[in-house]
Amino acid sequence: MEEEGVVLLEFWSSPYVMRVKIALEEKGIQFLYKEEENIFLGKSPLLLEANPIYKKVPVLIHNGKPICESHNILEYIDQVWKDKFPILPHHPYERARSRFWIDFFDKMIYDIGRRMWASKGEDQEDAKQEFLKSLKLLEEELGDKPYFGGGQFGLLDIALIPFSCRFYTYETFCKFNLEKICPNLMKWVNKCNERESVSKALPNPYKVYDFGLEVKKMLGIE
């Protein structure tokens, strides 16, 4: 395992990895990233050593010590590098509220996201409606603010914006238009993408879509 510095174990299409990349970029932290070659066919020895429980990316290795799970990593980054760009809201209530919405979104997207691109017919339509209902709730929480925390780009923005690179895939497979359905949320997406940390971390949506087609083919999903 790496003994010094900051190392990120990653796979390019993981939104959870993108969260960590954005946070590190916002903090101005130099890091080395190590890409899993093909996370579907096998995991690297380093990943299995660093995260023997879940065997998943992202894993942040700081001075030889692994930190797993993206939400834990974000809080770790903010606490270790306190003197740089603050990620967590200052007020405990706002911090708790951000954690609530992250938990809400993560639980929703894990099941619904897959059903939108991997299923068809009634199940896909149900997943689409659940997804849009959830995004509208998030849009209500955003309101007319530039970021979820107000004028400051922060924890909830960092946690949610990576999934926007999958919106084109969801829209294409499920035939809907988020610009029309959630215009304020899409304004937020566009504003976040103006930040260098976000534009560097998020892959091209068309590349994500093509990868989705490859995964469907690999899994035998027509």
Side-chain angles (χ1 to χ4, degrees), residues 12 20 26 29 58 62 82-83 89 130 134 143 147 169 180:
W12 71 270
V20 180
E26 290 287 349
I29 301 165
H62 183 211
K82 293 180 180 179
D83 58 333
E130 290 178 52
S134 297
Y147 300 113
T169 299
K180 295 181 179 179

Side-chain angles (χ1 to χ4, degrees), residues 7-222:
V7 179
L8 177 62
L9 308 187
E10 66 148 7
F11 188 70
W12 71 270
S13 70
S14 168
Y16 304 100
V17 168
M18 296 172 210
R19 288 175 172 175
V20 180
K21 282 185 172 180
I22 293 169
L24 291 171
E25 291 287 348
E26 290 287 349
K27 291 280 188 179
I29 301 165
Q30 292 188 344
F31 64 99
L32 173 68
Y33 60 85
K34 293 198 171 183
E35 177 90 6
E36 290 291 305
E37 292 296 325
N38 193 329
I39 207 163
F40 294 100
L41 298 180
K43 313 293 176 66
S44 71
L46 180 57
L47 176 59
L48 296 176
E49 179 188 357
N51 190 357
I53 305 301
Y54 292 121
K55 304 176 178 64
K56 293 180 179 180
V57 294
V59 178
L60 187 77
I61 302 174
H62 183 211
N63 294 329
K65 297 179 180 179
I67 304 96
C68 306
E69 297 294 287
S70 64
H71 51 87
N72 289 333
I73 297 172
L74 293 181
E75 296 203 13
Y76 179 86
I77 290 170
D78 203 42
Q79 291 168 11
V80 171
W81 291 278
K82 293 180 180 179
D83 58 333
K84 300 182 179 181
F85 184 90
I87 293 174
L88 272 67
H90 176 72
H91 196 283
Y93 173 76
E94 295 301 329
R95 202 175 304 161
R97 193 170 183 85
S98 292
R99 287 171 177 151
F100 168 83
W101 284 110
I102 294 170
D103 181 69
F104 164 82
F105 186 83
D106 283 354
K107 288 176 179 176
M108 177 274 295
I109 200 66
Y110 183 81
D111 173 59
I112 292 176
R114 189 181 191 284
R115 286 164 56 205
M116 280 195 293
W117 67 264
S119 65
K120 58 179 66 175
E122 186 175 341
D123 185 51
Q124 185 183 62
E125 179 63 24
D126 289 345
K128 179 182 83 172
Q129 294 303 326
E130 290 178 52
F131 177 69
L132 294 177
K133 180 180 178 181
S134 297
L135 288 195
K136 287 177 181 177
L137 289 173
L138 286 169
E139 188 173 55
E140 288 178 16
E141 174 67 13
L142 175 65
D144 58 1
K145 304 186 296 293
Y147 300 113
F148 278 94
Q152 177 74 35
F153 182 75
L155 178 63
L156 189 51
D157 305 292
I158 292 171
L160 298 182
I161 192 59
F163 290 88
S164 67
C165 71
R166 296 185 174 187
F167 285 175
Y168 174 77
T169 299
Y170 298 150
E171 288 176 308
T172 303
F173 284 141
C174 297
K175 298 179 175 56
F176 61 88
N177 187 323
L178 280 176
E179 291 281 359
K180 295 181 179 179
I181 299 169
C182 296
N184 286 344
L185 190 69
M186 294 309 293
K187 287 180 183 177
W188 165 80
V189 168
N190 293 333
K191 184 168 183 62
C192 288
N193 274 289
E194 293 174 0
R195 304 184 72 88
E196 185 178 0
S197 64
V198 176
S199 63
K200 286 175 67 175
L202 271 60
N204 186 299
Y206 299 111
K207 181 181 179 182
V208 175
Y209 173 72
D210 289 341
F211 181 67
L213 292 177
E214 290 178 17
V215 173
K216 287 184 72 169
K217 184 177 180 180
M218 181 179 68
L219 297 177
I221 301 171
E222 298 297 332

